[in-house]
Amino acid sequence: MPEEAKIETEGVFEPKIMAFVCNWCTYAGADLAGTSRMEYRPNVRIIKLPCTGRIDPLFIMKAFENGADGVLVSGCHPGDCHYTTGNYHARRRWTAFKDLLAFTGIDLKRVQFSWVSASEAIKWVELINNVTDDMEALGPFMKFKEMNKKGPNQG
Amino acid sequence: MENELREKAKELLESGEVAVVIGYGFNRKKTRITPVFITKPEETDKLVFNELCVNNLSIYLTRKYRDIQKIGRPAIVAKGCDIKNIVVLITEGQTKREDIHILGVTCSGVVYKQELFKGELKPEIMPSKCHNCDVRNPHVADTVIGEKSDFTPPEEPTGMVFDKIKEIDAMSDSARWDFWNEHFNRCIKCYACRQLCSLCYCERCITEKNMPQWIETSAHPRGNLAWNLIRAMHLAGRCTFCGECERGCPVNIPLNLVNQKLVLTVKNAFGFESGIDENVHPPMIVFSEDDNENFIK
Amino acid sequence: MPRIGVFVCQCGNNIEATVDTQKVADETKKLPGVVHTESYKFMCSSPGQDSFKKAIKDNKLDGVVVSACSPHMHEKTFRRAAEAAGLNQFQCEITNVREQCSWVHHDETRKIGTDKTMDLTRMTIQRLKKNRDLTKITIPVTKRALVIGGGIAGIQAALDIADGGQEVVIVEKEPSIGGNMARLSETFPTMDCSQCILTPKMVEAELHDKISLYTYSEVEKVDGYIGNFSVTIKKKAKFVDESTCTGCGECWEKCPFKADSEFELGLSKRKVIYTPFPQAVPNIPVIDKTRCPKILKDKCGLCAKVCGPQSIDFTQEDQLVTEEFGAIVVATGYELMPNKDFGEYGYGKITDVISGMQFERLASASGPTGGAIRRPSDNTEPKNVVFIQCAGSRDEKRGVSYCSKICCMYTAKHTMLYRHKVHDGQAYVFYMDIRSGGKRYEEFVRGAIEHDGAMYLRGRVSRVYEKDGKVIIQGADTLSGSQVEIEADMVVLATALVSRPGADTVAQTLGIGYDKYKFYNEYHPKLKPVETVTAGIFLAGTCVGPMDIPESVSQGSATASKVLALFSSDKMAREPITAEVNKQTCNACWDCVTSCPYVAIEKEEIKDRKGNVVNMLAHVNDGLCQGCGVCVCACRSKAIDLNGYTDEQVYAAIATF
């Protein structure tokens, strides 16, 4: 990977947060925060998907494997889905996946779920600030980072 | 009971109603039970059914065993728990109800692993599923063989798996992480869990998809974790807790815990139990507008 | 090796203030596969786009990243420019560094903004490397519209589409078009006679050479998708040959059998061979097969004997026809909440408690009393009439939670009509609030009160009972704080507007959504009020929710403009953001089929050379797929992927993180 993102500088922990958001609500809400010139913590990197229904647990696993300290998943409120029901499907998937992650010992603060509509710029700003605060409080996600250092199992 | 089974199998083969009977038989040394595929009426006396018949034969109905399907319409000897898997396979279009003859056998429990059997089926060598079994009398079958069981499962599920889940739930995050890391680290990515699972019938498993390679294939702890969790997710709302994956795991990863955990989640959150009704869609591909979402901010 | 160009926009000072765009350009230039980078003041300006196009050509770029404002702003602009420069437009990706970076991180040292911009741009570059050329999907369009429901909304839609030069079929389940509006006496706030303004439109629809009327017909089945619907319509047997019947009326004159008239809401009788009302369009009778003795037991047959053109055919059967359409307008209308739901107001028990629609018929010149107000029990002229508003509306417990919207207005109209016909009569109105928003509506209600002397009482009615030939109404007048009791001759209930029975079945047939009251869901209640989530199916009138005639007509016209826009070319182009199935790895478990919100995935038969079906696999219908990606997550083997948001693209972005 070229030029590892150097967020961690000068010994200060800057958490890396990956956000998977839907195009129609949360992404537009984040845009509104911008057009309203609101300010929030810079630690989040957004990946836009058409719908929360497209957000696979694989994405979340991969984000952690790649060094995310926290993952945020966000989309339209129930009933607002651009595709009518994608977020309902997503909600079911997360219900199971979060239980599984918790059962594996992953602090559920590391994976946060939120509904943010296209008009909820303030909610988006608070959400990012809170998630960033949470990750700062938790510290780097050492569980995955340590695992990454290990060599393959020799059987 | 075995006679009844053999008679029925013979009758089915003779009449041509089925071309093969998938059942249990002894190995050559008569020490272990092994799957047998009977195509000739005169060979039906090879069929047996006893407490060693732990294997879930429903796997032979999947696309993984096309050669068996090529033989023709099968009859399958199935315990209630095995039938649950057959039901899921029917729901998911992998076989049709009318395309198979289910020889349902009443069951009073089997061993967790055959090698544990020392002549007597003691409760401690039975898997948790048997202690909580609600299908000792087959719930979907063309023929039911054996005496009716009057076993009623305890109201609250009991047994090692359930105790252990409670124990893990009560642990701290890092203790849970350590627990699983220790187990998953042993994983050698042999995929025995997948091979034995009749619901892992994918034409191409996600771990074999290499564009992109979501799940690392080397036996590195990172890929091991991803593999085991994603497999559990793929079984969420489908797994019937048959226990074949754990039974087959050469490094003894307690997969029943992960899978049963999700069985419980799905039951609590969506009120769904898999393998009961072939006309009900599994819960992860449907939804209710009223699903709980107290975890979503 | 890809040849990627990266264009970092300064957006004047909007990005430049907190992002060192030149540094971003310089640093990204070092990345593998990137051959050209630049920072520019306004990428979206004409000179900006010119330099963008020139750079694509000069450097033979095969992919471009524009790090600028939100893709919701200028993605189309840059994709169009990329296409103009000879690039596939889906090889152009936008990094959102204005709305989601420079504007929200106010670091004056520009470090935070610059670092984040580089990060985001790198993610886009990696994603872009996995992009595939995509081409817009073109779908042929059958230029023929189906309008379901021949009320005023449907008629308006059909007339406008037909006037636009396209063919229309109206399917109406009753023997005549006209709908509820045909029942009305006069209409607020202008007091035009409903028949006078509606009948010409009905006739116009009948005579229009682009419109076909399928009356006494219902939609049975809908297949296909936008531009290509295949609809099965059941034409119920009329037992009358439409091609020869002249509508002379000899048959229904002579028919000796009678039944309650549905059109007159039971206030009068009709014959067993009948048209619902004299101005029916088409003016062709139907035989009520549930009551005709000839059909039931082969007795009578008088109508056939008197029919000059020999049009009666007792052997006719229901007929199923399947026709192709490019668009569907749903205008199935409403009905009033059924009578039985108002026991407490005496409806159904007390003969002189009637519904608002029944009052319309009493006041109508073509109604059962010829327009004279007569109460049903003894046919005398009622001198005191009580109107009760919100009968069922705004009453979640016993009725519906919503406001039926038109009742305030039509009740005011009723009091006026009543006063105009019974000069010494007194109208009382029990109301909760008077809702008269609309052009000239408030003035209209004031007129009813001030000019025509209707007495408005704010409060609910607690009891309605019969005593000595009168209907006694007890209620509260909350403004004076007193209990009132009125001895009325007749009571009129402004019953709630509700969806038609079976509205849910129709919605399921069409694959459109509906709410808990079975009113149909708009795609967007404000910005797409006549569209549904199913492309090519539009909504007009009260099947969406309560509305008055002007609104229904506007919606009818609005759907027509949507249909005509769709029919303006032979083929329609769609964004190629659709799912695609890898046939090699499909398990045929149909999880995608079940989870798809659009019924866009089909079970496709795979045949061998001899034409035998050897396999069934999932297949995405491009016309129906909207690109949400729910199916991709449902698919365990990832045999299905979403173009534009493929697993590879997402993976690349995550892996760059």
Side-chain angles (χ1 to χ4, degrees), chain C residues 123-419:
Chain C
M123 283 163 72
T124 316
I125 293 169
Q126 293 307 110
R127 184 187 196 282
L128 173 70
K129 287 180 183 169
K130 301 294 180 188
N131 278 21
R132 280 175 295 193
D133 282 3
L134 298 175
T135 41
K136 291 222 170 182
I137 297 162
T138 54
I139 302 168
V141 175
T142 306
K143 293 184 184 178
R144 195 157 179 265
L146 171 66
V147 174
I148 308 175
I152 184 59
I155 292 173
Q156 187 65 45
L159 284 173
D160 287 355
I161 297 168
D163 285 345
Q166 306 297 350
E167 266 186 63
V168 189
V169 170
I170 299 180
V171 169
E172 166 60 52
K173 90 177 165 179
E174 299 298 330
S176 168
I177 58 169
N180 275 315
M181 188 177 167
R183 286 188 168 122
L184 306 182
S185 53
E186 261 124 77
T187 55
F188 62 79
T190 48
M191 294 301 240
D192 307 274
C193 137
S194 184
Q195 287 286 1
C196 311
I197 56 175
L198 176 64
T199 312
K201 279 191 180 285
M202 289 161 61
V203 173
E204 199 186 335
E206 185 184 28
L207 298 180
H208 206 299
D209 60 358
K210 293 278 184 191
I211 299 179
S212 312
L213 298 182
Y214 293 4
T215 49
Y216 217 43
S217 301
E218 286 174 40
V219 169
E220 284 279 298
K221 190 163 160 250
V222 176
D223 284 324
Y225 50 92
I226 183 167
N228 302 275
F229 293 106
S230 175
V231 182
T232 306
I233 300 162
K234 180 166 88 181
K235 293 176 149 182
K236 290 179 281 188
K238 293 181 173 176
F239 303 101
V240 174
D241 181 352
E242 289 175 83
S243 61
T244 57
C245 172
T246 61
C248 68
E250 198 65 17
C251 52
W252 68 79
E253 283 291 319
K254 296 282 161 27
C255 174
F257 301 100
K258 284 184 179 177
D260 278 346
S261 163
E262 294 85 357
F263 183 78
E264 298 291 356
L265 302 152
L267 290 171
S268 69
K269 303 278 183 191
R270 60 157 169 82
K271 293 294 180 61
V272 162
I273 181 165
Y274 70 106
T275 61
F277 52 100
Q279 304 87 339
V281 168
N283 187 29
I284 289 169
V286 299
I287 295 178
D288 178 351
K289 69 173 177 187
T290 62
R291 291 194 177 87
C292 173
K294 178 71 184 171
I295 292 168
L296 293 174
K297 45 197 177 193
D298 198 23
K299 282 179 182 156
C300 184
L302 193 56
C303 50
K305 287 178 201 136
V306 300
C307 179
Q310 308 267 300
S311 302
I312 310 279
D313 174 6
F314 293 108
T315 62
Q316 246 185 34
E317 283 178 5
D318 292 356
Q319 205 189 333
L320 287 178
V321 293
T322 301
E323 299 191 3
E324 309 300 314
F325 298 98
I328 300 175
V329 174
V330 186
T332 47
Y334 71 98
E335 65 164 30
L336 291 184
M337 190 174 259
N339 311 350
K340 59 175 168 36
D341 296 350
F342 300 102
E344 77 272 25
Y345 293 149
Y347 201 121
K349 284 182 292 201
I350 307 171
T351 322
D352 291 324
V353 176
I354 63 171
S355 74
M357 193 61 97
Q358 285 173 314
F359 188 85
E360 295 283 350
R361 293 312 300 152
L362 290 182
S364 170
S366 61
T369 58
I373 307 295
R374 295 281 182 270
R375 63 179 202 168
S377 62
D378 53 11
N379 219 25
T380 58
E381 191 173 70
K383 296 298 180 190
N384 286 306
V385 178
V386 169
F387 294 87
I388 301 174
Q389 290 199 187
C390 294
S393 305
R394 304 173 66 195
D395 183 353
E396 194 154 18
K397 274 197 192 132
R398 283 173 302 182
V400 296
S401 60
Y402 56 82
C403 165
S404 291
K405 201 172 175 180
I406 62 169
C407 326
C408 285
M409 294 305 298
Y410 79 62
T411 300
K413 179 188 75 180
H414 287 172
T415 67
M416 289 166 118
L417 289 171
Y418 173 61
R419 191 54 171 278

Side-chain angles (χ1 to χ4, degrees), chain A residues 23 31 40 45 54 56 83, chain C residues 70 72 96 119 638 647:
Chain A
N23 180 38
D31 273 0
Y40 57 82
R45 301 287 179 269
R54 172 72 182 91
D56 202 294
Y83 305 99
Chain C
S70 170
H72 290 187
N96 186 342
D119 248 18
K638 293 282 168 277
D647 265 15

Side-chain angles (χ1 to χ4, degrees), chain C residues 495-508:
Chain C
T495 41
L497 255 76
V498 294
S499 55
R500 289 208 180 263
D504 45 350
T505 323
V506 174
Q508 286 154 11

Side-chain angles (χ1 to χ4, degrees), chain C residues 577-619:
Chain C
I577 310 301
T578 50
E580 200 176 329
V581 177
N582 176 347
K583 306 258 184 247
Q584 264 73 51
T585 53
C586 173
N587 293 322
C589 71
W590 315 127
D591 277 8
C592 52
V593 175
T594 309
S595 61
C596 175
Y598 297 97
V599 207
I601 307 178
E602 300 150 358
K603 300 175 183 179
E604 186 187 31
E605 290 179 347
I606 307 295
K607 291 178 181 163
D608 64 10
R609 274 183 221 157
K610 288 175 198 153
N612 303 317
V613 177
V614 289
N615 207 351
M616 299 278 276
L617 295 174
H619 173 77

